[in-house]
Amino acid sequence: MKILSLASKLSLQSPKLVGEFENDEIMVISPLDDNIKAEFIKCEIGAISYVLALIGLEFGFSGEFWDELDEGELSGESNIGEEELPQICQFIKNCDTCIISDEIFAVNESSIKAILSLLQAKFGFKIVNLDGDEVALSGKLTRLKEIPNYDNAVIFTHSCCNEFRAGSYFGIAAKLKNGDEITIHSSQKELKAKLLIDSNIKGTIGFLGFEGAKYGFEVLKFSR
C-alpha cells in the first residue's frame, strides 16, 4: 500500500501506525525529520495548506479559489519546488491512505479540509487520524492566510513525555546550552523545563513535552 503522512512526526505521535504500515510505501510531507522508513518531502512549518493548494493546481482544479492562487508564492513560502511537486502528485494518484494530525489545521483549516476532500473524491484514498480511525472532512475553500513567521528557535509541543529536548542548532538559535533551566511561556501553559541537547536532532526545532499538551509549533518564548 501507499501511505501519505501529513503528521509532523509520526513516530512520536503514533507508534501504532508506524508499526501498522512498516512494510508499506510511505511518503511524509512535514517540516520535521523522522526515523521511519519513508520518502520525506520537507515543507515549511504551517505550510500544509500551501502544499495542498499546489497539488490541486497541478491536478488542474479550477474555480475562483484556484484562479486567485499565485503558484510561485505558494512554492516559495512552502519550500515545495518543481522537483518535489510531481513526486507528490504521482504518489497521490495511487495513494491508499492519508494520515492527518491536528496541528496541520492550525493555519487555513477550512481550506485544508476542503482540498483533502477534493483529492479523496478524485483518487479514492482513506483519510485516517493518529489512532488509525477513518475520518470524514468537511470544509470550504477560502482565501489562504499567510503562514506565520517561525524565525529563530521553534518548539513542537506534545504529550508523549515530560521533556525539553533539542539539537545543538536550536541551542545556538535560542542562546541556550545543555542543562539550562528556563521558564517557557507557551501559548498552552507556562512551565519550567531543563534543556537536554541531543546531537541526533537536526535543525532549529526543539521538542517540548508536558502532560495535556496539544501537538503544535510555536516560536520559543522564555525567561531565565
Side-chain angles (χ1 to χ4, degrees):
M1 292 199 302
K2 288 181 179 287
I3 313 298
L4 175 67
S5 175
L6 303 181
S8 298
K9 195 173 180 71
L10 193 59
S11 67
L12 180 72
Q13 296 170 278
S14 184
K16 168 190 171 182
L17 290 184
V18 172
E20 184 175 333
F21 298 129
E22 64 180 344
N23 296 318
D24 295 309
E25 188 177 349
I26 303 174
M27 173 178 280
V28 176
I29 303 176
S30 167
L32 296 176
D33 294 316
D34 205 349
N35 59 346
I36 64 174
K37 184 181 177 182
E39 179 180 3
F40 285 88
I41 306 291
K42 294 294 287 291
C43 69
E44 295 297 326
I45 300 170
I48 288 295
S49 60
Y50 283 25
V51 177
L52 291 173
L54 282 169
I55 292 168
L57 287 173
E58 186 76 2
F59 282 125
F61 290 172
S62 60
E64 183 179 354
F65 170 82
W66 303 100
D67 293 341
E68 292 179 353
L69 296 175
D70 183 330
E71 188 170 357
E73 180 183 3
L74 294 174
S75 178
E77 293 295 320
S78 66
N79 199 33
I80 299 296
E82 294 179 355
E83 293 183 5
E84 292 93 348
L85 188 56
Q87 288 178 256
I88 297 170
C89 292
Q90 187 60 42
F91 192 91
I92 288 176
K93 286 178 181 178
N94 300 297
C95 182
D96 298 284
T97 301
C98 175
I99 302 169
I100 60 171
S101 50
D102 290 342
E103 75 280 0
I104 72 170
F105 300 114
V107 184
N108 297 312
E109 177 179 4
S110 186
S111 291
I112 290 174
K113 290 180 176 180
I115 298 172
L116 281 174
S117 295
L118 288 171
L119 291 170
Q120 180 185 40
K122 185 175 180 66
F123 297 109
F125 54 75
K126 293 190 302 182
I127 299 176
V128 303
N129 60 23
L130 293 174
D131 292 323
D133 298 325
E134 192 166 353
V135 295
L137 300 180
S138 177
K140 293 184 178 180
L141 294 171
T142 58
R143 187 180 182 87
L144 296 182
K145 296 178 182 177
E146 291 185 3
I147 300 170
N149 189 336
Y150 289 101
D151 287 343
N152 300 318
V154 174
I155 51 174
F156 179 70
T157 56
H158 63 88
S159 60
C160 301
C161 62
N162 294 317
E163 180 177 83
F164 179 30
R165 184 179 292 269
S168 56
Y169 288 109
F170 176 95
I172 293 170
K175 298 180 180 176
L176 294 170
K177 61 182 184 299
N178 186 54
D180 278 354
E181 294 189 27
I182 59 174
T183 299
I184 297 176
H185 309 287
S186 165
S187 61
Q188 298 180 48
K189 69 179 295 186
E190 186 172 289
L191 71 159
K192 294 184 181 295
K194 179 187 290 188
L195 176 62
L196 302 174
I197 294 291
D198 184 339
S199 60
N200 293 316
I201 300 176
K202 310 301 180 185
T204 57
I205 301 175
F207 298 86
L208 177 66
F210 57 89
E211 187 175 349
K214 298 177 181 178
Y215 295 121
F217 294 93
E218 56 185 281
V219 175
L220 174 69
K221 297 178 181 178
F222 70 93
S223 56
R224 295 181 185 271

